[in-house]
Amino acid sequence: MKLSTSIGLGLATAGVCGAAVLLSGAVGESSPVPATCPQRWGSDDIGGWVPAAADIDGVEESLVPGSPVKALICAYPGDNTRPGGERLAGSRTLTDQAAAMAGDLAYLPVTTADVGRACTLMGGPMTNYLIRFAYPDGRALWVGSAEEVNRCVRTTNGTASSTSYAGPAITTAYKDGIWRPVPPEDPCRGPGDRRGQDELMVPGRPGRLTVCRDATYSRPPYRKRHNRDIARALAATLNSLDTVPSDNTCKGLGGATQRGIRLIFDYPQGPAAAVTISMNCAPAVNNGPLQADLDDPVRDQILRLAPS
């Protein structure tokens, strides 16, 4: 692993951005692309930018398709109150850690549509990142994102994007040369972002369900676990709802006082998928990319599984 640092701004936060391009010497009609970091961040966006989008199979369904063998991380630190044109501060090349990094980013849910979200507006340091994943056949894929205080970052490969937040893990990889996403001490507080949640509330075949009650997690008991059969039955129910692309907002229901519920679906491999149930709001069901209304039978089914 190699770390190079240029003079200027120090590392304060992390992000991810990307696009796929042909490496120098690759066969094809596209012009060769240098295998080095751009000297400046080429956008006013915090995250969500790549130098170019490449024609690689699977880029619409996954941030990092296939099996890259090397990752070049480029860091562009700055301030989120004055974004745009940040200078390259340094780079690190990962080899033995590249596959794990690519695999975890590939698990994040993506969409080719715009996804709305509510963001806090705290000012502070941020770091944009470009990650260039190199493949054995000579092709490469850029992924771009950022770490910043509001966690309101878009990650992209130039074709598909994700609102899932990977900033701290990317910062650790850049600074220490280790890809090490840290699981939450409390599963109720985990991110719960999994590939396929742009198509289904609960993708795949979960192996366990944790039902978390009350977003503040301050009144025990607030957590209750259930086995595979219950997890898959509730997943099927949620997947039967009529969904719309999420703008991650909802309209409050007057007079409603029920505490919110968060559903964490765990899998034998890869990250969990989380679904938030806002009992006092409509639409009440939200997994990040998708939203749906909550009818009484589904509400009753969830309440029966929740801690009392």
Side-chain angles (χ1 to χ4, degrees), residues 108-129:
L108 298 181
V110 299
T111 179
T112 55
D114 291 334
V115 176
R117 55 198 164 144
C119 297
T120 53
L121 298 175
M122 291 185 290
M126 61 90 193
T127 299
N128 289 311
Y129 286 99

Side-chain angles (χ1 to χ4, degrees), residues 164-294:
S164 301
Y165 187 60
I170 297 170
T171 296
T172 298
Y174 170 70
K175 296 173 74 173
D176 301 334
I178 299 172
W179 178 253
R180 188 175 52 210
V182 180
E185 294 183 4
D186 185 341
C188 292
R189 299 175 185 266
D193 298 324
R194 187 177 177 91
R195 187 178 63 214
Q197 286 187 282
D198 58 311
E199 297 179 349
L200 292 171
M201 276 291 169
V202 187
R205 295 168 62 81
R208 188 174 63 178
L209 167 67
T210 302
V211 182
C212 310
R213 191 152 198 177
D214 191 353
T216 62
Y217 311 127
S218 60
R219 286 180 280 176
Y222 66 83
R223 183 175 65 197
K224 188 174 183 179
R225 289 180 171 173
H226 300 277
N227 62 26
R228 181 189 65 185
D229 292 341
I230 292 176
R232 292 181 180 177
L234 182 56
T237 297
L238 294 173
N239 290 338
S240 70
L241 300 176
D242 293 330
T243 61
V244 296
S246 177
D247 60 7
N248 288 297
T249 62
C250 61
K251 183 178 181 180
L253 303 176
T257 58
Q258 287 182 297
R259 287 184 287 165
I261 289 176
R262 196 161 189 251
L263 308 171
I264 309 294
F265 294 87
D266 290 309
Y267 296 78
Q269 291 183 327
V275 179
T276 299
I277 312 296
S278 302
M279 296 293 189
N280 305 326
C281 217
V285 185
N286 188 358
N287 72 354
L290 299 175
Q291 284 180 303
D293 289 324
L294 181 67

